[in-house]
Structures are given as C-alpha cells and as structure tokens.
Amino acid sequence: MNRCLTVVLLLVAYLACWAQNTDVTFEDTLKEVTVTSRSARKRVAEVQIGVEKVDISTLAKVPSLFGERDIIKSIQLLPGVKSESEGSGGYQVRGGKAAQNLILLDGATVYNAGHLMGIFSTFNDDALMSGSLYKGLVPAQLGGGTASVFDISTRSGDLHDYHFGGTVGLLSAKVVAEGPIQQDRSSFLVAGRRSYLDLFLKASEKYRDNTLHFYDTNVRLNFRLSQKDVLSLSFFSGRDNMGLTDMMNMEWGNTTAAANWLHTFGDAHYANTKLFYSDFSSDVGIDMLNVYYTMKGYIRHATLQHQQVWQTEHHSLNYGLEATHLQLQSAEWDINLLHQHEKRRALTGALWIGDKWQVGSSLELSAGARFHLFSVLGGAPYYKIGDDGNIIETIEKGRGSIVKTYADVEPRVSAKLTLNELHSLKLGYSRTSQDIHAISGMSMSMPFDRYTMTSNIVRPEQADQVALGWMGITPHGNYDFSAEAYYKNIRNVYDYRDGKAFYSEIEIERLILGGKGRAYGVELCAHKNNGPLMGWISYTLSWSENKIEGVNGGRWYAASNDRRHDMAIVGMYHLSPSWELAATWRYNTGQALTAPSAKYDIDGTTFYYYNERNGYRAPAYHRLDLSATYTKKLRKATRIWSFGIYNAYCHYNPFTIRFKNDDKSPTGTIVEQTSLFGIVPSVSFTMKY
C-alpha cells in the first residue's frame, strides 16, 4: 500500500506542475454554505472521489417497503453499496461490513440504524434535509468508519410560516410540524413516527401477548443570535420493542443530542463549535427450556468539536480538533444465577487540516491529514490471551490511568483533472481507522451483536484505499456516466475463532482473532436526468476477502459480505401533473456462508465438520418494486396518496439459511431457507398544510 501511496502522490505532484503552467481564471465570488441539488454538472465538478449526495426529493419517488421513504434503502441503489439481506437496515460499502460504516445524524453517531430488525429505517424522511455518503475516501474532518461515512443533516424549521403534515400507512403513522418561534429569528421542527403493529396483535387471540412496535422523534431548534451567530439544537430518540409472549423480549434504540454554534468572522472565515452526545443500547431477555438469559450492552459518546474554515480565491482551508469520552459495555448478562459483565472506557482525540486547492483551470485538489489518538482507560480488567484463547494474565489499573495509547496519521488526497467541460478524471487515496468493532456471527448486523473497542489486545482497524474514476455528461446534461475502480487493504480485521459464538465467554478477546482483509472492484453508473422518464442503472463487480491465522487454516477466504455482482435499475416516470410512477429492480450474488462439509454421530448426537469458512453461496437475490403517487394541491394544503407493490413478482429471497440433520438419511443434511416477504402491497395517505 505504501507503493500505491507513492504512485498517487507522484501523479498528483506531476498534475499540479502541469496545471500551474496553464492559464488560470478565477471567479471573484464567495462560496456560501448552502445545500444544493445533486445535478449532473455538480457530479462532474465534485473534486472528492467516491462521494454520493442523496437528494431527498428524488428519495420521495423511489418505491419502498410498506410505503416508507427510506434514506438507508435508497443508498443501496447506488454503485458500490449493497444491502445486507432481505429487510435488513444494514448496508455494505466497497467490501466493508455494516458495522464499518459510520452514520452521523447532525454529527452524532447512530448505530444499527433500523427499526424492526431493519425493515424500517431509523430515520424519518420528513425530518431530513440532506445526506452525503463517502465511500471510504473521506475529507480530513471525518473519521471513525473504515468502509464509509454517511453524514446526514436534519432540516431547520421555517422562519416565516407554520407548516403541518401527517401520514397514515398500513403499519405506521407520522406527523411533522415546523414554523417560527420568533419571526425571522428562531424556528422549530418536530417530527414523530410510531408503528401500530401491536394494535393488530392485540386483536388476535393467538398473538395478543406478543409485542412488536417502534417509535422515533426528531426535534430541531434554530436561533439567530446575531448577524454573525447561529445556534442550532437537535435531538433524536428511537426505540424498538419486540417480544414473544413470556419467552423472549428484545429492546434497542439510539438517543442523540447535538448543539452547533456557527460564528462568522467575515465573508470568508467562519467557525463551528459543536457538542454531541450519542447513546446506543440493547437489552435481550430469553426464558425457555429452564434457562433464563439476559444480555445488555451499550455504547456512549460525549464529544466536543471545533472547526474553522478559511476561504480565499485559491483555497478553502478546513482545520479543527475534537475530543471524545467513550463508554462501552460489551455485554452484561445473567444466565440463571451467573452474573457477568464487561465494561470499558476510553478517551479519543483528533486533529485535522484539509484544503481544497484550485491549482489551475484544469486541476483541483482536496488534500489533508487527520491525526488520530486513542487512549484505553483503566478501571476494568484487561488481559493477555494465549494462542488457545485462555487468559494468561489479568491487568488491573486504576480508573484514571491509561492502559495503552494508539496514535496514527491518516493522509487523505483526492484530485480532479478536468478534461473539458463535460468530462473529468478523478484519483484519490485515503487512510481511515476505526476503534469500535462489531463482532457478528451472521452475515448481517443485528441489534444484539457484541461490540468491543480497541484495547491492549484489539488494535484499531485501518483501511488504505486508492481509487481512480471517470465522470462525463452529454452536452445538455440529459445523461451522465461514471466509472470507478478501487483497491482497499485492511488491517486488524476481527472474526470469531472456530467453534466460538458471542455468548461463549464474557471476555470478548477470548472469542476473536485478528488478521487482514482486502477488497477491490469496479463501479459503473449511468443517469438519465431530464424528461418525463428519469432514473439510473448501476452495476458493481467486486471481491472481498479476509485472512486470519487460526481461521480457515490461515488461508484467504471470502468475507461474509463478499458478493460478486450487484445491479440496480431505477426508473421514475412523470405521467401527469398529478401522477408519478416509479420502479426499481435489484439483483446481487448470494451471500457467502459456511456450510458443513461432513457430519458424524457420537452416541446419537450429530456433529458437523466445517472444512472451509464461507465456502458456499446462498441463492442470488433479486426483486422488483413498483409505486404510484398521486398528488393533489389544494388552496391551503397538499394531499398525497402513495401506492406500492414490494417484490412484485413474489420471489422468495433468503433471509436466513441453516443446516439441519436429515433423520431419513444417515449421510444427508437438510438446507432450510427462511424468507421474510413474498409480494407486499402498501398504501399511505399524506396531508400537508
């Protein structure tokens, strides 16, 4: 990877020297901090390679499950982004798992961003303003995810007029209200959503003791303190509760709070000072077969961040620092009379500097570096682990002491060479690191996965990625095309030891082994931007592999998220001023999975032998969704009817696959596939005032 970095930097230096010898023209215009639509020309002009901007207005037209517009599901239609599985809220970016994505809501971290095991997104689209997905090549001010960073912003309320709205669907309802607190000086926005699946269950004698519901709430307040100062406060809370009579209960959810003070020093200099708080927690209880089991976990962040931006004719300089206090409970469980827990704390810090530099008329650079610091704090036991997974030594240090500190420099560079007004080439390199690790035994993320953080044994995960891309549009912007190739090298990838599961030991370091990974591929995309019919086609060809000593015989093996082919076709047709039609079709190669290679019987008990990790494939996934939206604008209100068909040709895609003993055949094994959905119709009604 050091050779790749050297080649990238030499090429960027050569392009810079070439550009400095060309004619240079500048616009004497201040770049305001505004949010704009993601037009074709802006995609060509974007200097950052591997970034996707999510347009909320386009999101409203894409078909979705149960009539819910879903920002998480929408990015899964983009090249290089794949869904984990049917109904899952997790997504995988360029060979990374869902837990390697950093999701930020107004700057605060959100984990496992799905309701009802991912069937609904955590995010209510009525509260959202914009989203930017960085596919591993990120600006210097962002860090914490080795696969991607998804930076989502909520809307500010209207400073002048009051607006109200509500939507009723088959399974959930939501409301939104916004308006001025003090005319032209302050505003509010409140959005809430709740499912009512539990009401249907109550009406059934068989399922009335079961629990199945979620809720979420968004609040944002904005205050213009002066001509140079703006204060914004935002709050989010979302919670799920799933229960099966008195046998099982699962609760999980996120709570975030953010305060942002924007101060403008002058036309070209401003500062943001931010406070963030984030809390993700899960609580699982099982009572069956005379075994009572509960497991709790949480991740809590408190962050202070300061950032300044200077803009000149040639440069846009961004620099800042942040500090975070982290608390993580990997597990706290009760198994009958046994009570165990593992809690850790840490301090993290970062300094960064980045610059967007218009080198010449044809070359623009975005370059910077991030200094990352992670200090493991005492007050909890740490260990030295032998090769067999047993504890050799226990390390006890005081609550205020530092057990171990890791420091890294993460360089970031992206270059755009403008060939002409219609075509550009882009090249980038980025190093990112991550200190929160989710250890999942399944091919998809679950709210009760075990999380751990960097410790004296577990090292920060690091990814080096290099990417090369081309972007072009037709003369009138009716069509645009893009192609990107990437290679990513990952260090300190963790997976379960053979024969271990998340509940095998309370000390998580005894369960896992570390190694390395690699991912590479090609992403192609074509957009149609104008006319009554609009949409895009995306295709990704990719590989994702891991190599961990002690797993799979130390050989390279396909990662659980390795899928060779991924394709999405999205079409939106403007039938009339009132009617919008839309369709999406998705296809991807089946998930890699571990299947038994042989079985043997001892005293009537069947044991399986596994020869290869992830050596088999689930069936391919494909699905067609359709929707129709009718909009009627009244004098003081807008009325919207949305109709949809999820999985229109009723293809049963695998949700889970398990292997069972075939009692009728001594050498046989039964493969059992569980699917969530066949064809699912939906309807929702919205009124906006």
Side-chain angles (χ1 to χ4, degrees):
M1 183 51 65
N2 288 334
R3 292 182 179 178
C4 293
L5 176 58
T6 302
V7 172
V8 171
L9 294 177
L10 286 174
L11 182 54
V12 169
Y14 169 78
L15 293 174
C17 293
W18 174 83
Q20 285 177 328
N21 292 323
T22 63
D23 292 334
V24 180
T25 59
F26 297 101
E27 292 184 19
D28 188 17
T29 305
L30 174 65
K31 296 180 180 178
E32 297 179 87
V33 184
T34 57
V35 178
T36 57
S37 64
R38 186 64 168 157
S39 69
R41 294 193 181 274
K42 288 186 180 295
R43 287 194 287 270
V44 174
E46 176 69 62
V47 62
Q48 190 75 37
I49 188 172
V51 61
E52 300 281 357
K53 305 288 186 179
V54 179
D55 185 354
I56 301 300
S57 62
T58 301
L59 165 64
K61 302 175 184 178
V62 176
S64 54
L65 180 59
F66 301 127
E68 284 281 338
R69 296 176 292 184
D70 191 331
I71 192 171
I72 298 295
K73 296 289 193 301
S74 71
I75 63 172
Q76 296 169 13
L77 299 170
L78 301 173
V81 186
K82 308 172 186 178
S83 64
E84 283 188 306
S85 68
E86 178 80 279
S88 172
Y91 59 94
Q92 301 163 343
V93 179
R94 290 190 172 179
K97 293 184 177 180
Q100 294 167 320
N101 302 316
L102 175 66
I103 302 176
L104 301 174
L105 181 64
D106 290 333
T109 305
V110 175
Y111 292 91
N112 211 291
H115 287 307
L116 299 184
M117 311 292 282
I119 295 176
F120 292 86
S121 168
T122 292
F123 305 111
N124 183 346
D125 64 287
D126 284 340
L128 303 183
M129 179 177 66
S130 63
S132 297
L133 176 69
Y134 298 91
K135 294 185 285 189
L137 294 110
V138 301
Q141 66 267 26
L142 297 174
T146 54
S148 73
V149 177
F150 194 15
D151 191 9
I152 304 172
S153 299
T154 55
R155 289 196 301 118
S156 300
D158 196 310
L159 285 167
H160 310 290
D161 299 306
Y162 294 99
H163 303 280
F164 306 94
T167 300
V168 178
L170 291 178
L171 300 178
S172 66
K174 55 185 179 179
V175 294
V176 61
E178 63 176 304
I181 300 173
Q182 184 178 3
Q183 198 76 19
D184 297 327
R185 293 187 60 85
S186 57
S187 66
F188 74 92
L189 180 137
V190 179
R193 179 174 54 160
R194 193 193 190 281
S195 68
Y196 31 75
L197 290 168
D198 49 333
L199 301 182
F200 292 115
L201 296 178
K202 295 295 183 185
S204 168
E205 186 69 29
K206 184 177 181 180
Y207 300 107
R208 66 188 314 164
D209 294 327
N210 296 337
T211 304
L212 190 64
H213 73 266
F214 71 84
Y215 74 85
D216 54 58
T217 303
N218 291 83
V219 179
R220 177 156 178 158
L221 306 175
N222 275 54
F223 304 91
R224 290 184 177 177
L225 305 178
S226 69
Q227 289 185 339
K228 293 188 175 183
D229 297 278
V230 175
L231 175 66
S232 64
L233 306 174
S234 62
F235 171 81
F236 166 78
S237 180
R239 199 73 186 169
D240 280 75
N241 192 341
M242 296 178 63
L244 182 61
T245 61
D246 56 355
M247 292 188 298
M248 181 184 69
N249 187 71
M250 294 188 296
E251 296 183 32
W252 70 92
N254 287 274
T255 299
T256 69
N260 180 17
W261 171 34
L262 172 64
H263 177 74
T264 304
F265 296 99
D267 290 342
H269 182 200
Y270 66 89
N272 272 308
T273 302
K274 303 177 182 180
L275 282 171
F276 306 124
Y277 176 76
S278 171
D279 183 333
F280 169 77
S281 62
S282 62
D283 186 349
V284 179
I286 299 174
D287 186 3
M288 61 177 62
L289 301 177
N290 296 320
V291 176
Y292 175 71
Y293 173 92
T294 65
M295 176 174 167
K296 300 178 182 179
Y298 62 73
I299 308 172
R300 295 169 184 162
H301 302 254
T303 301
L304 172 63
Q305 182 188 97
H306 181 75
Q307 174 183 244
Q308 294 201 23
V309 177
W310 286 78
Q311 294 176 325
T312 68
E313 196 173 34
H314 305 277
H315 298 271
S316 178
L317 188 65
N318 184 318
Y319 57 91
L321 55 87
E322 69 178 26
T324 298
H325 180 255
L326 168 65
Q327 300 178 75
L328 187 147
Q329 179 172 277
S330 170
E332 179 178 8
W333 60 40
D334 291 281
I335 304 176
N336 293 337
L337 298 178
L338 176 65
H339 178 86
Q340 294 178 308
H341 71 271
E342 182 178 74
K343 300 178 182 179
R344 302 275 175 84
R345 298 183 307 118
L347 290 175
T348 72
L351 297 170
W352 71 84
I353 183 169
D355 186 21
K356 283 189 177 181
W357 178 23
Q358 185 68 50
V359 182
S361 60
S362 299
L363 180 66
E364 186 176 359
L365 300 179
S366 174
R370 182 181 181 88
F371 177 68
H372 168 250
L373 196 68
F374 189 92
S375 294
V376 184
L377 297 180
Y382 294 86
Y383 313 100
K384 291 184 180 179
I385 306 294
D387 293 338
D388 58 358
N390 291 321
I391 298 173
I392 298 175
E393 181 183 347
T394 300
I395 302 170
E396 297 277 2
K397 287 199 173 184
R399 187 175 178 85
S401 61
I402 294 177
V403 177
K404 190 165 185 176
T405 296
Y406 298 88
D408 274 303
V409 176
E410 304 171 9
R412 320 275 177 85
V413 60
S414 189
K416 182 198 68 175
L417 176 64
T418 302
L419 304 178
N420 54 47
E421 63 177 6
L422 300 178
H423 300 273
S424 64
L425 291 176
K426 299 179 184 181
L427 178 68
Y429 164 80
S430 178
R431 171 174 291 175
T432 52
S433 63
Q434 181 171 335
D435 292 300
I436 304 295
H437 313 268
I439 315 299
S440 176
M442 304 179 65
S443 57
M444 61 179 177
S445 58
M446 304 293 281
F448 45 84
D449 287 340
R450 284 195 68 176
Y451 288 85
T452 189
M453 69 180 192
T454 297
S455 68
N456 62 314
I457 296 175
V458 178
R459 301 181 63 84
E461 185 177 279
Q462 284 191 334
D464 290 280
Q465 183 180 166
V466 61
L468 175 66
W470 164 81
M471 177 76 195
I473 62 173
T474 55
H476 297 290
N478 293 329
Y479 299 89
D480 68 75
F481 307 91
S482 64
E484 285 190 22
Y486 66 91
Y487 181 87
K488 181 160 54 176
N489 183 56
I490 313 165
R491 291 176 298 284
N492 305 320
V493 174
Y494 291 93
D495 204 346
Y496 281 110
R497 294 173 181 263
D498 288 337
K500 294 290 187 179
F502 72 93
Y503 52 80
S504 298
E505 313 287 350
I506 191 67
E507 303 88 4
I508 196 167
E509 287 100 340
R510 298 179 61 188
L511 307 179
I512 59 177
L513 290 170
K516 59 184 179 180
R518 62 189 180 192
Y520 48 94
V522 177
E523 302 168 1
L524 307 174
C525 193
H527 286 81
K528 186 179 185 300
N529 303 305
N530 298 318
L533 176 64
M534 296 189 296
W536 67 88
I537 299 175
S538 67
Y539 170 73
T540 304
L541 174 66
S542 62
W543 289 259
S544 179
E545 300 170 309
N546 292 336
K547 185 178 182 181
I548 300 175
E549 292 300 326
V551 177
N552 201 52
R555 305 183 304 273
W556 284 100
Y557 62 94
S560 59
N561 54 309
D562 177 78
R563 299 186 189 176
R564 197 69 64 243
H565 306 282
D566 184 82
M567 176 177 281
I569 301 175
V570 180
M572 295 166 286
Y573 186 70
H574 185 71
L575 184 64
S576 71
S578 298
W579 283 97
E580 292 273 358
L581 307 179
T584 62
W585 183 76
R586 301 218 43 198
Y587 172 89
N588 53 55
T589 302
Q591 293 176 333
L593 54 88
T594 302
S597 305
K599 70 175 185 177
Y600 53 94
D601 187 89
I602 299 179
D603 295 331
T605 302
T606 301
F607 296 89
Y608 291 102
Y609 171 72
Y610 299 89
N611 181 55
E612 185 178 5
R613 180 75 62 96
N614 293 337
Y616 296 84
R617 291 278 176 184
Y621 181 100
H622 53 91
R623 190 186 82 230
L624 173 68
D625 300 337
L626 306 172
S627 74
T629 303
Y630 175 78
T631 303
K632 179 68 173 179
K633 292 187 176 181
L634 308 175
R635 190 167 64 91
K636 292 185 178 181
T638 301
R639 185 173 60 203
I640 303 171
W641 282 96
S642 298
F643 307 92
I645 300 177
Y646 179 91
N647 197 9
Y649 53 80
C650 199
H651 178 254
Y652 287 99
N653 290 295
F655 179 67
T656 60
I657 291 179
R658 62 175 181 163
F659 302 90
K660 299 171 57 178
N661 187 45
D662 187 352
D663 296 329
K664 298 179 180 179
S665 174
T667 60
T669 300
I670 298 173
V671 181
E672 185 176 87
Q673 172 181 310
T674 301
S675 299
L676 282 184
F677 306 112
I679 185 170
V680 182
S682 65
V683 60
S684 65
F685 176 70
T686 302
M687 283 291 290
K688 296 181 178 180
Y689 296 91

